Amino acid sequence: MIEATPTLSAAAARRTALAAQGFADARPGGPPTRRHLQKALSRVQLLQLDSVNVAVRAHYMPVFSRLGAYDQDLVDEAAWSHSTRRPRLLVEYWAHEASLIPAEDWPLFRWRMRRYEQRYARHVERIRRESPGLVDDVLATVGEQGPIGAGALEAALGGAVPKVKGGWWNRSDVKHVCEYLFAVGELTTGTRKGFQRHYDLPERVLPPEVLAQTPDDDECARRLTLRAALAHGVGTEKDLRDYYRLQPAQSQRAVAELVEDGQLEAVAVQGWRHPAYRHPAARTPRRVEGRALLCPFDPLIWERARTERLFGFHYRIEIYVPEPKRLYGYYVFPFLLDGEIVARVDIKADRATGTLRAQGSFAEDGVDRTRVAAELAAELRLMADWLGLEHLWVGDRGDLADALRNAV
C-alpha cells in the first residue's frame, strides 16, 4: 500500500523554517558566549560575506538577529584565529556566495574546486605562459610570509608582474593567481584585516584530518543537501539547491537518494507549487515569538522566491537600483515579529556622528502599526547600542515613520 504524502499548512511550513534557522530559540539571558555562537552556527550552517558596510558587515548581522547584542570578536575569533584551547571554527570558501563555513565542511566543496580548476584552466595557462613561475612563486611566498594580502604579495614579488587590461576585472596577475588558488583549494584565508583577505596555506589553517578528506562529487552533493535541509527545516528541491549553489542535476540526484535512504521526507505544503522535503530533525513549534532585524544577506530570506512563499513578503535589495527608482531604500532590513515579517527599514550607521539612521520605515498591510513601531524602535535601539552608536534617528520616508519616531 502506498503511503500518502504528509501535508503541511503554509503556516506550519513557516514555523518549521523559522525554528530551523534558530528563531524559535530564546535569546541568551546574559552576554552571548562561544557556545551560543556555535549553536547559532549549527542552525544557519554558514555566514555570507559581503563588502557592503553601510550598517554592519553581513557576516555579523545574522548572529545578532538570533542572539541579540554580542561581542563581534566571537565571530572574528571563530573565523580568523586558532589556538589549542579555542580552535578555529570557521573557514572561508565559495558556498552560497563568499561565505564562512564550518572548518569541517571545507572538503565538501572539493567538487567545486575541481570545477574551478577546469573552468579557469585557459586563464591560468595564459598567466603561466606570460609570467613563467608566477603561480609557484605566489605559493612559495605565501608559504614564507603568509598570511599575506595580494598587494603585499605583489610587493614581495618585486612588482614586476604585468597588469591585465580587460578580463578578470582588471586585477593584476598576482590577484588572479591568488583568487584561482583560493578557488581550487591551494590557498585559503588565514585572516582578514580591514576586510582584506590575507591568504595562507590550507595546511596552516585546517586540521590534517579535514585536509585528508577527498569525497567524490556525489558524496559532496548529498552531504551539502542534507545540511541545506537542516538549515531550511522544509524546502523544495530548488530551495535546497540554492543554499550551496549546487548544479540542478547534482541536487536532484542527491534529493532523490536522500529520500530513498530515509534521510529526507517528501512532504506537500499547501499553496506551494512544487514538492517539498523535510529534514527528520525539523520541528514545528506551535508559535514563534520574538523580534529580529534581518540584513539582506540573512540566510532566512536570501532566496527571494522562498521568502515570498513563506511570508507573503516581496523583497529585493536595491543597492544597484538608481536612487530615484528605489522603492524603499539602499540597504533595507526586513523586520521579523512573532513569526511574521511585518515591516522593513532602510538602515545606515552614521559612525561620524554616532547615529543609527532609520532613513525610511514601511509597514506591511494589516499590521498593528503602534505595536510594530514600538517593537521596531526597541530593536533599533538594541542594534545602535551593539554598534556603539549613541543616537537613533528616524527619517520621514515611509508610512511607519511617524509611529516609529513617536516610539523612539
Side-chain angles (χ1 to χ4, degrees):
M1 182 177 176
I2 300 176
E3 294 186 8
T5 301
T7 299
L8 293 178
S9 68
R14 181 171 59 252
R15 295 195 304 274
T16 303
L18 286 163
Q21 282 283 309
F23 289 107
D25 301 336
R27 286 175 172 175
T33 65
R34 184 176 170 97
R35 181 177 60 81
H36 293 117
L37 174 64
Q38 287 176 293
K39 184 176 181 182
L41 293 173
S42 74
R43 304 287 198 202
V44 299
Q45 303 294 315
L46 56 84
L47 299 172
Q48 185 172 335
L49 294 161
D50 190 83
S51 61
V52 176
N53 195 29
V54 67
V56 61
R57 297 281 187 199
H59 58 289
Y60 294 121
M61 189 65 197
V63 180
F64 172 78
S65 299
R66 290 153 180 81
L67 300 184
Y70 73 101
D71 186 343
Q72 292 179 18
D73 286 347
L74 282 176
V75 171
D76 292 344
E77 183 182 71
W80 296 303
S81 69
H82 175 83
S83 68
T84 303
R85 189 172 65 88
R86 296 168 78 85
R88 182 190 297 258
L89 299 177
L90 300 167
V91 68
E92 288 187 38
Y93 194 64
W94 296 106
H96 182 75
E97 294 287 345
S99 302
L100 292 168
I101 58 173
E104 61 269 22
D105 284 359
W106 189 83
L108 301 184
F109 294 90
R110 289 196 184 275
W111 71 273
R112 182 164 282 151
M113 297 173 193
R114 290 187 278 264
R115 292 192 181 208
Y116 277 134
E117 195 161 8
Q118 297 171 358
R119 178 179 175 182
Y120 295 131
R122 284 195 305 111
H123 296 286
V124 175
E125 179 55 35
R126 194 258 317 153
I127 289 173
R128 289 186 187 276
R129 185 174 62 252
E130 295 179 2
S131 304
L134 178 58
V135 174
D136 293 338
D137 287 347
V138 166
L139 283 169
T141 305
V142 172
E144 292 167 5
Q145 299 188 24
I148 185 171
L153 261 172
E154 287 185 9
L157 291 168
V161 293
K163 298 284 184 178
V164 182
K165 291 184 179 180
W168 275 30
W169 309 288
N170 281 323
R171 295 175 181 174
S172 74
D173 275 351
V174 169
K175 181 63 174 176
H176 297 177
V177 169
C178 289
E179 290 297 295
Y180 166 74
L181 293 172
F182 178 88
V184 301
E186 292 189 50
L187 290 180
T188 188
T189 304
T191 189
R192 278 185 179 261
K193 295 180 179 178
F195 204 65
Q196 182 192 28
R197 183 184 287 158
H198 284 231
Y199 298 95
D200 209 343
L201 302 177
E203 53 265 35
R204 291 207 293 245
V205 173
L206 294 161
E209 62 272 19
V210 170
L211 289 170
Q213 296 178 38
T214 56
D216 63 29
D217 287 11
D218 287 343
E219 178 64 14
C220 290
R222 280 191 296 271
R223 291 167 66 183
L224 288 174
T225 299
L226 204 55
R227 280 161 171 73
L230 185 63
H232 280 77
V234 61
T236 65
E237 178 273 323
K238 192 174 180 181
D239 292 339
L240 304 185
R241 181 203 315 169
D242 179 75
Y243 213 70
Y244 293 104
R245 299 292 169 85
L246 298 175
Q247 299 295 313
Q250 271 183 305
S251 173
Q252 291 159 12
R253 182 165 56 250
V255 166
E257 291 173 356
L258 290 167
V259 170
E260 185 175 353
D261 291 346
Q263 297 184 72
L264 283 182
E265 180 187 18
V267 298
V269 177
Q270 292 173 357
W272 289 19
R273 291 174 51 203
H274 300 289
Y277 303 91
R278 180 168 55 189
H279 192 282
R283 64 189 183 95
T284 306
R286 295 182 64 181
R287 60 173 55 89
V288 175
E289 298 178 336
R291 66 184 187 229
L293 284 161
L294 306 172
C295 83
F297 302 104
D298 192 289
L300 178 68
I301 57 168
W302 67 32
E303 213 298 300
R304 308 308 191 202
R306 174 177 168 82
T307 301
E308 200 154 352
R309 244 185 297 127
L310 284 172
F311 298 101
F313 182 78
H314 181 80
Y315 179 54
R316 298 292 184 272
I317 190 168
E318 296 184 277
I319 287 175
Y320 304 110
V321 176
E323 186 172 359
K325 295 184 178 181
R326 290 179 193 143
L327 296 177
Y328 299 106
Y330 182 81
Y331 204 64
V332 173
F333 286 59
F335 182 52
L336 181 72
L337 181 63
D338 295 344
E340 301 277 359
I341 295 179
V342 296
R344 65 188 92 200
V345 56
D346 181 20
I347 298 176
K348 177 181 175 62
D350 184 346
R351 295 170 180 86
T353 64
T355 303
L356 186 67
R357 297 184 175 275
Q359 302 182 120
S361 45
F362 308 83
E364 290 298 287
D365 291 341
V367 302
D368 179 344
R369 294 191 181 191
T370 301
R371 178 169 183 257
V372 167
E375 296 286 354
L376 179 55
E379 193 67 7
L380 286 167
R381 181 71 266 169
L382 182 68
M383 183 177 178
D385 292 343
W386 173 57
L387 296 176
L389 302 173
E390 183 180 356
H391 309 293
L392 178 58
W393 175 86
V394 178
D396 293 331
R397 286 194 299 109
D399 58 5
L400 192 61
D402 290 343
L404 181 59
R405 190 179 303 106
N406 291 334
V408 167

